[in-house]
Structure formats: structure tokens, C-alpha cells
Amino acid sequence: MKMQRTIIALALAGCVGSSIAPAVAQEHDTPTPPMLKWSFSGPFGRYDQGQLQRGFKIYKEVCAACHSIQMLAFRNLADPGGPGFSEAQAAAVAADYKIKDLDDKGEPTERPGRLADTFPPPFANELVAKAANGGVAPPDMSTLAKARTFERGFPWFVFDTITQYQEQGPDYIAALLNGYEEPPKGFQLPQGGHYNKYFPGHNIAMSPPLQAGQVTFDDGAPQTQEQYSKDISAFLMWAAEPHMVARKRIGLQVMIVLIVLAGLMYFTKKKVWHEVEKPREIARGQDPKKTAA
Amino acid sequence: MSGHSTYQPQSKVLQWLEKRLPIGGLVHSSFVVYPVPRNLNYLWTFGGILAFMLGVQIVTGIVLAMHYTPHVDLAFRSVEGIMRDVNYGWLLRYLHANGASMFFLAVYVHMFRGIYYGSYKEPREVLWILGVIIYLLMMATGFMGYVLVWGQMSFWAATVITNLFSAIPGVGDTIVTWLWGGYAVGNPTLNRFYSLHYLLPFVIAGVVVLHIWALHVVGQNNPTGIEPKSEKDTVAFTPYATAKDGFFLAAFVILYAWFVFYIPNFLGHADNYIPANPAVTPTHIVPEWYYLPFYAILRAIPDKLIGVIALGASIVILAFLPWLDTSRVRSARYRPLFRQFFWLFVIVCVGLGWLGSKPPEGIYVILARVFTIYYFAFFLVILPLLGIFEKTKPLPNSISESVLGAKA
């Protein structure tokens, strides 16, 4: 039975490979991704600009060869709460890209990117992407960090409401990027597959993408695979949730207003109800305001 | 039960209006002098909270609809456009998505409170049935709203739920084709879901008016379950109920804001951030949390048709509650046995919710079956028999006696 399930899982993974990338890692022999420390976790969390810039560099130099990020526009690089590029820097990034367009005679042409453009995909369409990647189209990365998770299980998911743990996505992606290893004895890895201990089913089509020293950082951050994995995961979290910093900032203001409001309402209610809740004192001719509430 | 209108407008304009349309008097008698039992606890503030949540959903929904595109190729992108490019679009969407959850959370508290204190009993049967209708409409609206995102879970939830109708013998497949507007869940399905998702909240609002009307005819139940007998048993809606409702609403909104601003995706499913793909089935298809108990009942039964019938029956049975509960005592306060069965029922409902999120295999199926049996037995066996065999505690003579007696 278990053997059968494994075969089915493998066959499925072989057919659709990493493009399904199920959101929930359900295999019992899949380890739980380690919980990393993120600058953007918790009620006061904000993105680390340096980390987002490093992550963007990794995306541009490595991931972008196969993965599109079509919902991200060049102008987003200069948005508040993001990687902190200046508008001129973002425009310079955009100008490096060739955007397909029509000229004023209606003929197809290519022009340099502008701030308003979104990042052009590496492949013309999904079929080309599939054909170039062994039958599996690499997923678009715009919402990837929110589209990946792992099962927290009871009771942890209850505690998560209090601790505000919301970083399953980046934790999973970072773990996956560090999770390539030799397949265990007896594991039949299909042709073109790679063994990854965090990937559901363990057979991932993507070859190990990040090696130490591959991307040069000019801010002195270590150029290790672990650092790369973490930085790209942070970048993808920002790409998936670009207004998170504003959300948490406004959230704090809203919380303060609501708690003050609820407090005032509580004392209003107490005052209004005092005479109803202390009718005996009233009957005895006492002033209810002078008795204990 | 409606408060006697003593409304006498001061201003000339309002006097003029009152002679032609006595709307001021209606508001005054319904929300100012309307007498409410003096002993209502905070569980009675959830009606007001629900009205507030309906308002929030309609307002945020109308603005979201201005930016949403109901087309299979554009829907997911337009939702992300709201999240990224619409000013405060992320706030509107998170308010709306988490608002649905808060709406259901509040309605469940409201319903369990109704069951605990016997609020459905004579003369409040119609009030209760209108509530069940609102709940059914909410389920339909919530489901269709979830589909509009057009992520993986949206698409597959739509497929699974509409496919339930195929279990109907003979005409099942025809009905499903008719629901889809085609031979699979596709653009026509998305379009009609969008249309209905916009329509149904206003139907809900209409039934809510009836619900409140019925409430104001029969008056509110209260924790003792005995009717107010004199003016000493009641207080005026304003300022007493308004102050109490206002405070607890503010407290409830703190919880709501916590979800919206800090854990907005906690109650959602990660797969719904993957655009819908008819060619790829997610490993586990699960509905939103508020449907999970019914999903567990559906999957607990091996036969599809009987499973679908059980799913429908588990909701419809609520409408018969006023007649299934044979006890003449309303409040669980004076029903020691009922109280135990009630809490067991709550545990079973929460348990079914947990099981609904688990794969239907092994121990989960067995537990789901046991819980499903208890769910139905609670209504069909326990409640009818308890009314006959239970020895209830003596009721107080009046609400004010119960309040003052407790304090003495």
C-alpha cells in the first residue's frame, strides 16, 4: 500500500514535476523546514533593504533565467518599504531590459524597459518554458512566497495566531534551496530529477540553482549558499507582499486607536449600567456613584 | 413587544416628515425605547456585531468590485492588481477576506448562544428559521466569493462543490452542466458566481430586516429563558444595549484588525496564491475553515449520494430545531443534562472542523463517522428525549429576581 502510494507520488511528480509544487508537504519523511530569523516577522517587522537588494541581484543573475516574475514592475523597486532603489536606479534597471512592443507602424519591435513596465518573462509562453525545461514550466515567482507552505499541525497553528508566525513561505523556499542532497539508498530518482529532502515527493525538476560564490555581493555579506537562499527568499516575500511594511505600520496605529476606543467604550458602558446593576443601593437611597462599581 | 412610541420630534422639519412618513418614530421605538431584558450577557452583542460585519462586507465588496475582472484569464491578476496597485487595495481585500471569516465566527457564536439558551423556542421559531436562511445564504455567498480569486483552491473547490450535485440520480449530470454553464468549471461559471456573489449580500440584508422585525415582535430571549414580566425586568435599548453592544463591537474589531494587519493569510490556503490550473489537482482540496465540519460529514460517508444528503441534512436540520427540542424549559442554565450534551455538541462540531482539514484516511475517517453520528443524534435522539426525561432545575419567578437573587 505504502509502496503503491510512493510509486503514484513519484509518477505524479515525474509527470508534472516542480510545476505542481504542492503547497503542503505531506510526506511523512519530509523534514520540517527550519524557522529562520526574518527582519520582517512580527508586528514591527520591516524588510531589510540590503537583503532585498542582494535578493534582487540573485533573482536577476540566477532565477530570472527560468522564472518569470510578471506581476512585479520596475517602478516597484523604488516603492517605499521595498529594496529602496532610487527612481533613477530603478529606471536604469528597467533600461537594461528589452521589452516587446509595437512601433508606430504597428510592426513588432523591441525597446528599452521603462519604470511602468513589468519584468519580461524569460520564455515567450508556457509551452516554450515547458519545452526548455524538460516538460515542466518553472512557476512564476510573483506570489511564490505566499503560495508555498508546510503543515504546522496542531497545536502549533493555534499558537501561530499569537506569535504571528507568517513566514512559512520564505522558510520553505530557503530550506528547499539548501535541501539538495544525494538520494537515499533505494530511492528511484527519475531521469532529469533531483533529490531534495524538503520537496514533497523529493523529486524536483529544478537543478540546484545556487552555489557559493556565484553572485557577487558588494556589501560584504557572505557569498554562501545559505546566505543566497535566505536573501532570495526575503526578496520573494517582498515581491509577493510589497505593502507589508505599510500594513504593519498602519496596523499598529489602528490597534492603538481601537484599544483606546474599546477602553473608553468599556467605561462608558460601566457608567451607563451602574444604576441598573446597583438597584439595591438606589432603593436604599444611596448614590450608586459612591458605591463600588 | 415593540416599545410604545413616545417619539415627539422637536424640530418643525422632523414634525413635518413624521406626519408623512413616521420613520423617526420607527427608529425611536426600535432602537431607543425598545425594551431589552436587563440580564443579557455579552453573547447577546453578536447580533449587532453581525449587522456590522454585513455592512463591512458590502462596503469593501462594492469597492473591490470596481477593480476586479471576472474573467478566467484576468481574475487572478486583477486580484493581485488590487493587492499591489490599487491605493489601499491590500487593506480592502484583507478586510473583505478576513471579514468573511469574522462574519462566520460571529454567526457561529450567535447560533451556539441561541441553542444554549433555547432562543428558538416558541414564540421565536420564525425568528430562528429566518436566521437559518441567513446562514444558508452566507454559506453560498462565502463560497462563491472564494471562487472569484481564481486560485488553485478556488477552482478546485468550485469543481468539488458543484460536482456534489452530480450525485442526484438521473438528472445530476444535467444539473451540474447547467450550473457550470458548460462542460467544466470555466468562464461562464466564474461570471455567474460573480453576479450572484454581488446579489446575495443584498438578499441577506433583506432577510436580516425580516430577522430583526421578527425579533422586535417577540422580543429578545435572555439567559434565564423566561419572558420579562414587568418593567423592572427590562431596560431601554438606548443607552443600555447600545453602550454594551458598542463596547463589545470595539473589542471584536480588535480581533478582526489583528487578523487583517498581522496574520492576513492565516485563515487562507497557500494554494490559492497559485493561479487556477485545470490540469493540476492540488494534493488536498480543502474548503475555507467555516465549511470544514460539513466537509467532514460529507467525507465520513462512503456513498456519494448519501454523503451529499447528510451534508444538506446537517444544515437543514437546524430549521427543525424548535420542534426537535421538546423541553419546555428554554435556558441550559436550568437544564443540567442538556448542558452537558450541548458542550459535547460544541466539541463535536469543532472536532468535525479539524477532521475536515485532514485527509480522509485511517483514524480520521473513523473519528469523523463517530462525530457525524453524534451530530445527528444530538438533534434527532438526544433533544427529543431530553425534553421528556430531564429533570430541570426550578425557574426563577422573574428576571429581576434572578439578577437580584444572584447578587444577594
Side-chain angles (χ1 to χ4, degrees):
Chain A
M1 181 63 195
K2 188 170 164 270
M3 188 63 194
Q4 224 172 2
R5 262 222 312 276
T6 317
I7 291 169
I8 293 169
L10 280 177
L12 260 178
C15 289
V16 281
S18 60
S19 75
I20 52 165
V24 178
Q26 85 289 10
E27 294 291 312
H28 49 85
D29 51 348
T30 305
T32 305
M35 286 167 76
L36 302 180
K37 222 174 134 51
W38 300 104
S39 67
F40 47 84
S41 66
F44 308 105
R46 3 177 80 245
Y47 295 113
D48 173 346
Q49 282 194 0
Q51 186 171 47
L52 293 192
Q53 292 190 9
R54 293 195 300 273
F56 173 59
K57 196 155 190 276
I58 299 165
Y59 170 74
K60 209 170 101 176
E61 293 178 15
V62 185
C63 319
C66 303
H67 290 274
S68 60
I69 191 155
Q70 299 205 61
M71 294 175 197
L72 202 66
F74 295 111
R75 63 184 156 81
N76 293 139
L77 294 173
D79 281 348
F85 284 73
S86 71
E87 212 166 287
Q89 285 170 320
V93 171
D96 281 346
Y97 284 81
K98 293 269 170 287
I99 307 291
K100 287 195 170 59
D101 206 346
L102 298 176
D103 64 16
D104 44 12
K105 293 192 189 74
E107 299 298 324
T109 181
E110 283 194 336
R111 58 163 176 83
R114 296 191 282 254
L115 281 173
D117 291 317
T118 53
F119 281 79
F123 302 105
N125 56 55
E126 207 188 322
L127 291 176
V128 178
K130 271 187 184 171
N133 289 282
V136 182
D140 182 84
M141 284 185 154
S142 314
T143 54
L144 198 68
K146 289 200 281 187
R148 296 292 181 273
T149 189
F150 53 91
E151 181 125 11
R152 289 285 284 158
F154 184 79
W156 305 111
F157 79 86
V158 181
F159 301 150
D160 288 348
T161 61
I162 311 293
T163 61
Q164 301 185 359
Y165 176 59
Q166 283 273 284
E167 287 76 38
Q168 285 103 320
D171 277 344
Y172 171 78
I173 293 171
L176 183 96
L177 291 169
N178 293 323
Y180 286 89
E181 55 185 36
E182 285 300 309
K185 273 209 163 62
F187 187 90
Q188 292 287 319
L189 199 63
Q191 179 118 41
H194 304 84
Y195 187 88
N196 190 305
K197 62 176 171 176
Y198 292 108
F199 191 73
H202 302 304
N203 168 33
I204 187 166
M206 175 169 73
S207 52
L210 299 170
Q211 280 83 36
Q214 191 178 2
V215 179
T216 318
F217 290 153
D218 42 22
D219 64 353
Q223 297 175 151
T224 59
Q225 186 198 289
E226 284 72 27
Q227 187 65 38
Y228 291 155
S229 305
K230 206 177 167 193
D231 291 347
I232 185 64
S233 302
F235 171 76
L236 290 177
M237 189 65 233
W238 167 75
E241 189 78 11
H243 296 297
M244 188 215 72
V245 174
R247 189 183 86 217
K248 290 185 174 177
R249 179 173 47 77
I250 297 171
L252 184 66
Q253 296 164 350
V254 169
M255 279 297 173
I256 291 169
V257 169
L258 282 176
I259 289 169
V260 170
L261 175 72
L264 292 174
M265 297 290 278
Y266 175 71
F267 290 112
T268 309
K269 184 257 159 193
K270 229 172 136 152
K271 173 142 176 58
V272 166
W273 278 79
H274 193 52
E275 290 158 39
V276 176
E277 284 169 348
K278 299 282 172 185
R280 301 202 142 195
E281 285 84 344
I282 298 170
R284 279 193 229 112
Q286 292 171 334
D287 181 357
K289 280 175 198 151
K290 288 190 181 138
T291 60
Chain B
M1 194 66 202
S2 242
H4 183 67
S5 182
T6 51
Y7 179 65
Q8 270 166 355
Q10 299 293 310
S11 92
K12 283 257 156 62
V13 179
L14 287 179
Q15 282 170 6
W16 180 88
L17 178 67
E18 197 65 12
K19 282 203 182 108
R20 286 150 184 87
L21 181 73
I23 194 163
L26 180 73
V27 171
H28 187 258
S29 65
S30 305
F31 300 105
V32 180
V33 290
Y34 175 69
V36 297
R38 59 184 291 162
N39 59 336
L40 297 186
N41 57 35
Y42 279 110
L43 291 173
W44 263 268
T45 63
F46 278 83
I49 288 170
L50 283 162
F52 172 81
M53 287 315 303
L54 179 62
V56 169
Q57 290 304 84
I58 288 179
V59 170
T60 54
I62 286 172
V63 183
L64 285 171
M66 295 174 189
H67 301 282
Y68 172 77
T69 314
H71 186 281
V72 288
D73 295 331
L74 305 169
F76 187 87
R77 184 66 186 84
S78 77
V79 171
E80 277 300 314
I82 291 169
M83 292 295 290
R84 290 157 192 273
D85 298 333
V86 174
N87 289 330
Y88 297 100
W90 56 268
L91 178 58
L92 284 168
R93 178 169 174 247
Y94 281 155
L95 278 172
H96 197 72
N98 287 286
S101 282
M102 292 298 131
F103 204 163
F104 274 96
L105 176 69
V107 92
Y108 285 135
V109 174
H110 195 62
M111 289 162 78
F112 278 126
R113 188 271 289 151
I115 295 174
Y116 186 84
Y117 292 110
S119 297
Y120 44 80
K121 286 184 194 176
E122 201 259 317
R124 296 188 180 83
E125 301 96 326
V126 171
L127 174 62
W128 173 262
I129 290 170
L130 287 167
V132 174
I133 292 170
I134 294 170
Y135 176 55
L136 267 173
L137 288 167
M138 278 174 64
M139 292 180 91
T141 311
F143 161 66
M144 287 192 257
Y146 189 60
V147 172
L148 298 187
V149 181
W150 213 245
Q152 270 292 67
M153 226 25 108
S154 299
F155 178 87
W156 289 98
T159 305
V160 169
I161 301 300
T162 48
N163 255 318
L164 294 181
F165 292 91
S166 71
I168 301 168
V171 291
D173 288 332
T174 316
I175 290 177
V176 173
T177 307
W178 178 73
L179 286 174
W180 286 339
Y183 297 101
V185 173
N187 205 48
T189 325
L190 177 60
N191 276 219
R192 62 193 56 190
F193 276 25
Y194 180 53
S195 170
L196 293 173
H197 184 70
Y198 206 115
L199 169 70
L200 289 185
F202 296 98
V203 179
I204 293 177
V207 185
V208 166
V209 170
L210 297 180
H211 190 66
I212 296 173
W213 185 13
L215 173 74
H216 283 229
V217 172
V218 294
Q220 278 159 304
N221 186 29
N222 64 79
T224 64
I226 54 176
E227 297 292 333
K229 287 174 182 144
S230 68
E231 282 198 6
K232 278 205 293 187
D233 289 344
T234 61
V235 290
F237 191 92
T238 302
Y240 297 102
T242 29
K244 201 165 181 169
D245 284 356
F247 159 61
F248 212 68
L249 174 63
F252 184 82
V253 173
I254 293 175
L255 176 74
Y256 180 21
W258 181 272
F259 275 88
V260 168
F261 291 103
Y262 295 130
I263 46 172
N265 294 306
F266 177 81
L267 295 166
H269 198 291
D271 270 348
N272 228 24
Y273 279 106
I274 304 172
N277 185 349
V280 176
T281 318
T283 26
H284 297 307
I285 303 174
V286 283
E288 289 283 76
W289 69 267
Y290 33 84
Y291 305 125
L292 286 174
F294 304 104
Y295 195 54
I297 290 175
L298 170 75
R299 296 189 308 174
I301 294 162
D303 182 83
K304 187 177 174 185
L305 177 61
I306 299 173
V308 173
I309 291 171
L311 168 71
S314 64
I315 303 162
V316 172
I317 204 166
L318 290 168
F320 295 93
L321 192 52
W323 297 278
L324 290 170
D325 183 351
T326 51
S327 174
R328 295 171 66 169
V329 175
R330 285 198 192 113
S331 172
R333 252 191 205 183
Y334 309 103
R335 300 185 62 190
L337 271 178
F338 169 77
R339 201 155 60 203
Q340 291 173 29
F341 284 113
F342 170 83
W343 285 114
L344 197 55
F345 178 69
V346 174
I347 292 166
V348 161
C349 288
V350 174
L352 280 170
W354 177 67
L355 290 166
S357 73
K358 292 283 162 195
E361 55 193 28
I363 182 75
Y364 299 133
V365 178
I366 297 163
L367 277 175
R369 285 181 187 157
V370 174
F371 284 15
T372 301
I373 290 168
Y374 182 83
Y375 183 94
F376 284 105
F378 178 75
F379 290 107
L380 296 173
V381 182
I382 295 167
L383 284 182
L385 291 183
L386 269 186
I388 300 164
F389 295 107
E390 187 179 34
K391 195 161 158 33
T392 56
K393 289 190 201 163
L395 296 173
N397 289 319
S398 72
I399 293 173
S400 48
E401 187 198 277
S402 110
V403 176
L404 299 179
K407 293 214 167 174

